[in-house]
């Protein structure tokens, strides 16, 4: 954002602002029959089923503008919603974006935010089809609804895992949480000594995972290509432990997870050690990974074994056996949800 | 809300709260394939097109809890979104509801809000299929997305009015704004002299129009029954003048409106006089009416003439003629948008 220019949002009025923000909107999907600019948007998924998910992101609760660039925030606001659509085994096609903006935001700041929104829309080929833009007395409010499509009855719920299924995750876990620890630490240092320059050069991986997550389109595409239908699936936003317990509870099953199978990056382990915390704890409880957690029939094992982006971390058991993790040392511990609680 | 009971929301946790708020959710539509409780909801409109609209309502900007009962607020939050779906000539079928709640809200308060949400859902036969519930640092945040269905290509935009079309509105206008004036006045009196009892007995109509608006399902049903397809339509949320100018601009037309055709209730006129304001100004610029503004081909006049809920207020002209109102005294004035600007 240029320091020179500051255009007050109120100078455009609501409709001028909407025109400004949406004048370059591109449509990527034939399903978008009518986009921005009317009371509602119109979608035709042509015989497919429609999947809907929504998230509310509030300043001071979900993000801190002290260390979150607005462009990244715009990008991430879209991604966290697309992740939910992929977690249903569906393909996102449209989003609506509503914003509450306080008067400390200039038009230039809002443009930066929308640069990120449009970058995510282009990368994932989704269409921005509507929203609502209003003033807020305090704090930046972001509400996104993502819409997707799925072939009839091919959506995947959390409640349909079967005993003996393989428990799998995509990508790697825990890095976003460690990235958050670095940024919170730098913020404290900056508040105490504004002259000190941040030293985050070696932490680009973990910080990138926090500030610019991606949604696992590639995994859902891979399922389609290999004709795999997971028996259950959800995305990992609150932390692996918490999500595993959702699948177990909703499917009325237990599970066994192996610590040495949890996918973690070397960069995350190195960074975690700087805070003297256990990388496994980060992987289990960190949150904001936006990876996919899913169960597969054992007969699908051959189809996934060569995909390096998929790790089998355990298997589903009878509910009476509970949900446990087997540590590297051979210990057995109950899995507990220590994920983020947005109501505390 | 009982003064005796206060349950802290944080005592339930996010998932306990969602379970509590959605345990009695009823499904009214065959199109709701999967509702609350997964990463996303699944909808199948079975060959129809899907209409989507979203609104963000912020405390202190869109509502004042000093005089807005939470049950009414829950009801109205749904209605204002359904109104947008009807304004597309579509039938609402589902909503998502996201809330940001500060810790001054108890579970009992939230239950009251949801009583209103469910009352609206039942009355309009729409299904609550998802949402997001989080803490807010300050202020109550409400984000609703409404989803509806329409037969392919029967949706009605703002941009398709034709020269010579009749300009029509449903119901009556201006009352919600006068209701707001009363409640703002009572709030000032209460702040200055807390012992004074409010005197609003005679103002139930205008206050009811503000606090508990309805969406014009009956008008859209009437169109279907009479095989009427409006040539353009939108709902009246920011004030009639502002909305007329949208239709004129988007359809590239002008219009003539007759003051003596504007539908106003006696109760509104009486109330407006108490504030020494012109009822016509309230009807033109008041806002929050949630009536429908639409244009019809003149050949449809016979079909609507007996419907007392529809008023023909003028007609569409060439764009060069501009947008004018002819007053009761025969004067001619340009229509200007003086509606509510949520960005000021």
């Amino acid at each position: 954002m240029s320091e020179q220019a500051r255009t007050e949002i109120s100078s455009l009025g609501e409709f001028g602002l909407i025109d400004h923000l949406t004048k370059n909107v591109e449509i990527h999907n034939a399903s978008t029959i009518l986009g921005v600019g009317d009371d509602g948007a119109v979608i035709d998924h042509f015989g497919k089923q429609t999947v809907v998910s929504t998230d509310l992101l509030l300043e001071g609760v979900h993000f801190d503008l002290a260390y979150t660039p607005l462009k990244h925030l715009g990008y991430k606001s879209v991604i966290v919603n697309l992740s939910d659509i992929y977690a249903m085994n569906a393909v996102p096609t449209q989003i609506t974006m509503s914003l509450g903006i306080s008067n400390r935001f200039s038009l230039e700041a809002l443009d930066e935010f929308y640069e990120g929104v449009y970058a995510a829309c282009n990368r994932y080929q989704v269409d921005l089809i509507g929203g609502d833009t209003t003033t807020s007395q305090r704090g930046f409010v972001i509400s996104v609804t993502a819409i997707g499509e799925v072939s009839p009855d091919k959506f995947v719920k959390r409640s349909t895992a079967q005993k003996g299924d393989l428990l799998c995750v995509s990508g790697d876990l825990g890095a976003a949480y460690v990235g958050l620890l670095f940024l919170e630490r730098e913020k404290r240092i900056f508040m105490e000594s504004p002259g000190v320059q941040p030293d985050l050069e070696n932490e680009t991986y973990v910080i990138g995972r926090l500030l610019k997550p991606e949604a696992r389109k590639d995994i859902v595409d891979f399922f389609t290509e290999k004709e795999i239908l997971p028996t259950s699936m959800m995305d990992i936003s609150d932390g692996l432990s918490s999500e595993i317990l959702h699948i177990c509870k909703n499917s009325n099953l237990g599970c066994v997870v192996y610590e040495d199978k949890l996918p973690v990056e070397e960069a995350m382990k190195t960074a975690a050690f700087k805070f003297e915390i256990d990388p496994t704890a980060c992987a289990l409880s960190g949150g904001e990974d936006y990876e996919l957690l899913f169960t597969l029939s054992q007969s699908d094992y051959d189809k996934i074994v060569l995909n390096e982006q998929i790790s089998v971390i355990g298997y589903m058991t009878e509910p009476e056996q509970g949900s446990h993790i087997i540590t590297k040392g051979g210990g057995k511990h109950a899995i507990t949800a220590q994920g983020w609680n947005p109501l505390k």
Side-chain angles (χ1 to χ4, degrees), chain A:
Chain A
M1 170 174 29
S2 159
E3 291 294 329
Q4 283 79 51
R6 180 181 167 95
T7 310
E8 295 302 328
I9 287 168
S10 58
S11 69
L12 280 82
E14 182 184 5
F15 308 112
L17 177 62
I18 293 169
D19 287 347
H20 173 85
L21 295 174
T22 59
K23 65 178 184 288
N24 296 321
V25 67
E26 283 174 38
I27 298 298
H28 308 282
N29 294 285
S31 60
T32 303
I33 307 294
L34 181 70
V36 171
D38 220 297
D39 294 273
V42 182
I43 297 165
D44 196 329
H45 279 142
F46 301 105
K48 292 198 174 184
Q49 293 178 332
T50 300
V51 179
V52 178
S53 182
T54 192
D55 265 307
L56 182 62
L57 303 172
L58 303 179
E59 184 178 349
V61 178
H62 300 90
F63 56 89
D64 187 332
L65 290 176
Y67 51 71
T68 310
L70 281 165
K71 185 173 170 181
H72 287 71
L73 183 59
Y75 192 88
K76 183 169 175 174
S77 303
V78 177
I79 295 300
V80 301
N81 277 276
L82 302 188
S83 180
D84 281 318
I85 301 294
Y86 290 121
M88 298 300 292
N89 198 39
V91 176
T93 48
Q94 287 89 12
I95 60 163
T96 66
M97 166 75 64
S98 293
L99 298 181
I101 316 154
S102 73
N103 57 12
R104 84 191 143 105
F105 273 72
S106 66
L107 183 63
E108 290 75 17
L110 207 54
D111 281 343
E112 267 200 54
F113 179 85
Y114 267 88
E115 259 189 70
V117 169
Y118 285 123
C121 286
N122 288 334
R123 173 150 185 175
Y124 291 87
Q125 295 284 295
V126 302
D127 301 331
L128 177 70
I129 56 164
D132 191 14
T133 308
T134 188
T135 197
S136 86
Q137 290 189 317
R138 201 172 123 149
F140 190 34
V141 176
I142 307 167
S143 178
V144 181
T145 297
I147 296 155
E149 63 180 27
V150 65
S151 295
D153 304 318
K154 293 295 184 196
F155 60 87
V156 175
K157 300 192 287 184
R158 301 174 175 183
S159 57
T160 39
Q162 303 294 319
K163 190 185 69 160
D165 283 352
L166 304 171
L167 185 61
C168 308
V169 295
S170 66
D172 65 277
L173 301 172
Y177 175 68
V178 184
L180 178 66
L181 294 180
F182 274 107
L183 292 174
E184 290 282 355
R185 187 183 73 181
E186 291 308 314
K187 184 185 173 189
R188 280 197 306 276
I189 293 172
F190 179 80
M191 304 289 262
E192 287 159 15
S193 324
V196 177
Q197 287 297 305
D199 178 21
L200 297 170
E201 274 168 44
N202 297 318
E203 316 305 343
T204 52
Y205 183 73
V206 295
I207 290 170
R209 288 284 282 165
L210 177 73
L211 295 182
K212 192 166 177 287
E214 299 291 350
R216 297 313 303 248
K217 175 182 193 302
D218 58 329
I219 300 292
V220 172
D221 288 347
F222 174 79
F223 290 155
T224 305
E225 185 195 319
K226 296 289 182 185
E227 297 182 341
I228 295 169
L229 192 64
T231 54
S232 72
M233 183 153 62
M234 63 184 298
D235 78 333
I236 303 174
S237 53
D238 295 340
L240 178 65
S241 296
S242 168
E243 318 301 21
I244 286 176
L245 292 179
H246 278 300
I247 291 207
C248 287
K249 183 186 169 193
N250 292 9
S251 298
N252 191 29
L253 292 174
C255 72
V256 174
V257 171
Y258 295 92
E259 182 188 10
D260 63 358
K261 302 290 185 192
L262 296 180
V264 289
E265 276 288 308
E266 274 307 308
M268 185 280 271
K269 284 160 74 172
T270 310
F273 287 132
K274 292 183 186 170
F275 285 96
E276 298 180 348
I277 54 174
D278 178 10
T280 297
C282 299
L284 284 173
S285 305
E288 295 233 73
D289 294 310
Y290 302 109
E291 296 293 346
L292 294 172
L293 172 68
F294 51 95
T295 54
L296 293 180
S297 165
Q298 290 188 20
S299 60
D300 282 331
Y301 180 73
D302 289 347
K303 294 181 182 172
I304 60 147
V305 66
L306 292 177
N307 187 328
E308 293 186 348
Q309 290 297 315
I310 296 177
S311 303
V312 179
I313 62 169
Y315 61 91
M316 306 307 290
T317 65
E318 298 279 8
E320 295 72 26
Q321 295 185 250
S323 302
H324 292 94
I325 183 163
I326 309 294
T327 63
K328 290 173 189 167
K332 185 177 174 185
H333 301 281
I335 294 173
T336 54
Q338 299 184 326
W340 187 63
N341 181 347
L343 293 169
K344 292 249 164 152

